[in-house]
Amino acid sequence: MLSAFIIESTVGERGKEKGYLIDDEPNFDYRNNTGAAPVVEDYLFCRGCEQRMSYIEGYICREYRDKIKTERFAQGFRDIHLPEQQDFIREAKNVDPLVFTLLIATLLFRISLSSSKLFREFELRPDEQEQLRVLINEALPAYENFKVKIKNNKYISELNQKRELFEGLYYIICTYDHLENPTEGYNLAHPEFRLPYNIMLGQIIVFFFFEKPRAGARYLDYFKVLDSHDITAITNAPGDKIKTLIIAEENWKAILERERNKLVEKKVPGLMNKFVADFIRDHNRDPTNDDWLNYVKENFPEE
């Protein structure tokens, strides 16, 4: 469901993945390592469509993901500092914006189709899902004789002749510049926020709009990013150079901490029931408050 280079940032290298689901079901044990399973779903698309999507994933991985935070590629990006802000915009000079928008659209579309536990409550409206389906089908490179053969330059040239397919689609993308542990992150899509859709995929946060954002308007913002910025300055419109909001490390960590606290709060009632049952079984006595506090400290460390 998610591009391999996105999975790698949160659950580890292929074959060494570590991933954990957090659920509020009373008997659900969040400590079980699920690996990459929650973000993998076989046979969601046919082989041809998978290869067509892999083509643009490879381009964005090489030209954007592998370069945006690497000093030796700094000449391919321009930093735009924001008044009275620690956060800043990093504009990609050499990455085709329509290919990037198409990748974001495929991620949103895939998540909306998923039946996995992680994303099954997330839905696009039928007209929005159809709009993305048409875009993806018509804008991805052709699959012929069991291969996608087109060269990048030719594909980008052809794609830019289909600019009308992207009309009405806007997004904001956020990440950080440096983080000591880049595997600290979450994969989630808010099931209720639709204006815009709020998604966190490991190292990135995406706000996706099906209409042009308006200056001064208050939007649904699960991650508490938008209200502190001029939304028109950080929004990506069709064909614009890609603007990535680079969030200061301490601000990014605050986002993760808020999310962690929400997830812990959601999980605690069921966890306490399980803890009590397990403690009585293992110790043959009722637990005290100190036993519970020690359990929480061991299983929800501050770092």
Side-chain angles (χ1 to χ4, degrees):
M1 290 178 290
L2 305 182
S3 305
F5 67 83
I6 291 175
I7 295 175
E8 186 179 286
S9 70
T10 50
V11 299
E13 299 175 12
R14 293 289 183 90
K16 300 179 181 179
E17 298 94 344
K18 284 189 176 182
Y20 302 88
L21 283 172
I22 298 181
D23 194 290
D24 58 358
E25 293 177 11
N27 294 321
F28 187 86
D29 191 343
Y30 74 98
R31 294 166 296 182
N32 292 329
N33 175 18
T34 61
V39 288
V40 173
E41 192 163 339
D42 293 331
Y43 311 115
L44 194 60
F45 299 102
C46 68
R47 178 182 177 184
C49 285
E50 290 283 3
Q51 289 200 19
R52 296 172 76 200
M53 286 186 281
S54 292
Y55 181 93
I56 63 168
E57 290 172 1
Y59 171 82
I60 297 300
C61 186
R62 292 189 306 272
E63 302 301 327
Y64 177 84
R65 196 290 299 263
D66 289 349
K67 295 181 177 180
I68 189 172
K69 300 177 184 179
T70 306
E71 188 173 346
R72 73 175 184 275
F73 297 114
Q75 69 275 11
F77 299 86
R78 179 172 74 105
D79 288 351
I80 304 169
H81 294 281
L82 303 169
E84 301 179 2
Q85 291 277 354
Q86 289 180 296
D87 304 344
F88 61 93
I89 294 170
R90 181 162 289 163
E91 185 180 80
K93 298 178 183 178
N94 305 318
V95 183
D96 184 79
L98 295 187
V99 180
F100 196 92
T101 305
L102 185 56
L103 174 68
I104 298 295
T106 66
L107 292 172
L108 197 69
F109 186 69
R110 281 180 264 188
I111 290 171
S112 75
L113 295 177
S114 174
S115 59
S116 79
K117 191 179 189 68
L118 190 61
F119 297 126
R120 68 186 177 198
E121 294 183 359
F122 178 82
E123 292 182 350
L124 296 171
R125 292 202 321 254
D127 60 314
E128 295 170 341
Q129 192 176 77
E130 177 62 11
Q131 182 179 354
L132 294 188
R133 187 198 66 79
V134 170
L135 165 68
I136 293 165
N137 195 48
E138 296 192 19
L140 286 174
Y143 178 70
E144 300 174 316
N145 298 322
F146 306 103
K147 288 184 180 180
V148 177
K149 298 181 179 179
I150 193 167
K151 301 293 185 184
N152 280 157
N153 290 342
K154 182 173 173 54
Y155 169 64
I156 289 171
S157 176
E158 291 182 358
L159 181 64
N160 278 267
Q161 295 174 24
K162 302 175 181 179
R163 194 176 294 255
E164 71 281 355
L165 291 171
F166 294 84
E167 291 180 4
L169 302 180
Y170 300 83
Y171 66 91
I172 294 167
I173 185 166
C174 316
T175 189
Y176 54 84
D177 214 0
H178 301 287
L179 197 66
E180 186 175 343
N181 181 5
T183 64
E184 289 182 1
Y186 300 96
N187 293 298
L188 62 93
H190 198 286
E192 297 168 344
F193 286 11
R194 297 174 179 268
L195 189 61
Y197 288 96
N198 287 223
I199 300 170
M200 175 178 267
L201 303 175
Q203 294 182 332
I204 65 171
I205 290 171
V206 178
F207 299 99
F208 198 90
F209 301 77
F210 282 89
E211 61 178 49
K212 185 176 182 179
R214 301 189 305 275
R218 292 186 67 85
Y219 289 98
L220 297 174
D221 178 5
Y222 183 68
F223 304 104
K224 302 187 184 304
V225 171
L226 302 182
D227 285 349
S228 57
H229 292 282
D230 174 1
I231 197 168
T232 59
I234 60 176
T235 295
N236 290 281
D240 287 353
K241 288 188 181 299
I242 302 161
K243 293 175 290 190
T244 302
L245 180 65
I246 305 295
I247 297 177
E249 181 179 357
E250 63 185 78
N251 296 340
W252 186 270
K253 285 184 175 180
I255 292 171
L256 295 182
E257 180 66 13
R258 284 196 301 271
E259 179 57 25
R260 172 191 173 278
N261 290 341
K262 289 175 189 174
L263 293 171
V264 170
E265 184 179 353
K266 182 179 180 182
K267 180 64 181 169
V268 161
L271 263 183
M272 180 170 280
N273 290 335
K274 180 173 175 52
F275 161 75
V276 170
D278 290 349
F279 191 94
I280 292 173
R281 181 196 65 208
D282 296 338
H283 298 85
N284 200 30
R285 67 174 176 85
D286 289 334
T288 65
N289 284 339
D290 285 342
D291 293 325
W292 167 247
L293 293 175
N294 287 334
Y295 173 83
V296 171
K297 185 176 181 180
E298 290 172 3
N299 288 279
F300 296 102
E302 290 301 317
E303 297 298 331

